Amino acid sequence: SQTIHQWPATLVQPVGSPLSLECTVEGTSNPNLYWYRQAAGRGLQLLFYSVGIGQISSEVPQNLSASRPQDRQFILSSKKLLLSDSGFYLCASGQVNYGYTFGSGTRLTVV
Amino acid sequence: GNSVTQMEGPVTLSEEAFLTINCTYTATGYPSLFWYVQYPGEGLQLLLKATKADDKGSNKGFEATYRKETTSFHLEKGSVQVSDSAVYFCALSGYSSASKIIFGSGTRLSIRP
């Protein structure tokens, strides 16, 4: 079975600072990978997904970007954080008909 | 396009009460349906799933039946426990490998001892 590792668990960053969140996957190869954001008390918003190395699809225009430098590594970045980037960021892996495995998430607070 | 609608929370019940969380969907073709659970401060965990009409998914005392005629996938449990307090998400998938899983807005469940 798959295991998703995300770090850090919590992060407090000032407005205008850069961001890098990392997600790595164990127990599978060539996974589909996803970044979701969950605002406080809200549902899940799909930000990016990737079906292979270097292949990134963006779901919504925003201040964030994603990269997949290795098969089982997915990185979420920003050059300059905004207050509205605060939220709970979740990495997921899996196939649509079998369900996703989620990481434990990173809680980002932009101050 | 595909969408999921689930009952708004929060839902508050007493321990040992019967639980129903409603979920309906709109989709083309024959999607797979899921329920995920999110405990406080954690990521989501797959609770159960059903991949075709009339399938029943079950896990940890929770059940949901894929009803194509009513486009529903309601979550039920006969006797809830305090440890069931969490946010529950209904979700569906499309039928191609490039499709994404679409999540409902989540229902917060609180169980009183």
Side-chain angles (χ1 to χ4, degrees):
Chain A
S1 63
Q2 299 180 54
T3 303
I4 311 287
H5 299 283
Q6 276 189 253
W7 64 91
T10 59
L11 191 59
V12 180
Q13 292 284 100
V15 168
S17 63
L19 173 74
S20 180
L21 301 181
E22 188 162 342
C23 167
T24 59
V25 182
E26 287 182 6
T28 187
S29 58
N30 196 30
N32 291 345
L33 297 173
Y34 307 84
W35 277 112
Y36 284 87
R37 177 170 58 201
Q38 186 178 26
R42 307 283 292 276
L44 294 165
Q45 179 185 36
L46 179 62
L47 303 176
F48 301 96
Y49 71 95
S50 172
V51 299
I53 295 174
Q55 300 179 61
I56 308 294
S57 297
S58 174
E59 288 292 296
V60 293
Q62 59 206 314
N63 184 42
L64 302 169
S65 62
S67 61
R68 186 168 176 177
Q70 299 180 39
D71 181 43
R72 288 175 285 180
Q73 184 184 30
F74 202 26
I75 298 172
L76 184 69
S77 304
S78 174
K79 292 182 179 178
K80 289 186 177 181
L81 284 169
L82 307 173
L83 286 174
S84 57
D85 292 324
S86 294
F88 192 46
Y89 288 84
L90 290 159
C91 180
S93 171
Q95 299 295 329
V96 290
N97 288 326
Y98 298 98
Y100 294 165
T101 298
F102 281 83
S104 55
T106 295
R107 185 162 303 283
L108 172 66
T109 304
V110 182
V111 297
Chain B
N2 295 350
S3 66
V4 176
T5 303
Q6 60 182 106
M7 65 187 290
E8 297 212 4
V11 174
T12 303
L13 296 172
S14 296
E15 202 166 21
E16 300 184 1
F18 184 86
L19 169 71
T20 300
I21 300 178
N22 290 338
C23 172
T24 57
Y25 67 90
T26 301
T28 54
Y30 302 94
S32 294
L33 301 173
F34 309 89
W35 276 101
Y36 283 82
V37 58
Q38 183 180 32
Y39 298 104
E42 299 183 9
L44 277 70
Q45 302 174 26
L46 179 62
L47 181 60
L48 54 84
K49 68 179 182 183
T51 57
K52 62 183 187 294
D54 299 325
D55 266 3
K56 177 185 284 187
S58 61
N59 186 23
K60 299 181 181 179
F62 291 90
E63 293 183 340
T65 301
Y66 189 143
R67 302 284 189 200
K68 187 165 174 59
E69 64 276 13
T70 55
T71 62
S72 65
F73 193 55
H74 304 321
L75 182 68
E76 298 181 335
K77 186 175 185 182
S79 177
V80 291
Q81 306 300 313
V82 172
S83 57
D84 294 325
S85 298
V87 180
Y88 292 82
F89 291 91
C90 184
L92 70 80
S93 70
Y95 50 85
S96 75
S97 60
S99 297
K100 287 82 66 177
I101 292 182
I102 296 169
F103 290 84
S105 56
T107 301
R108 182 174 299 277
L109 173 66
S110 296
I111 307 300
R112 296 187 298 252

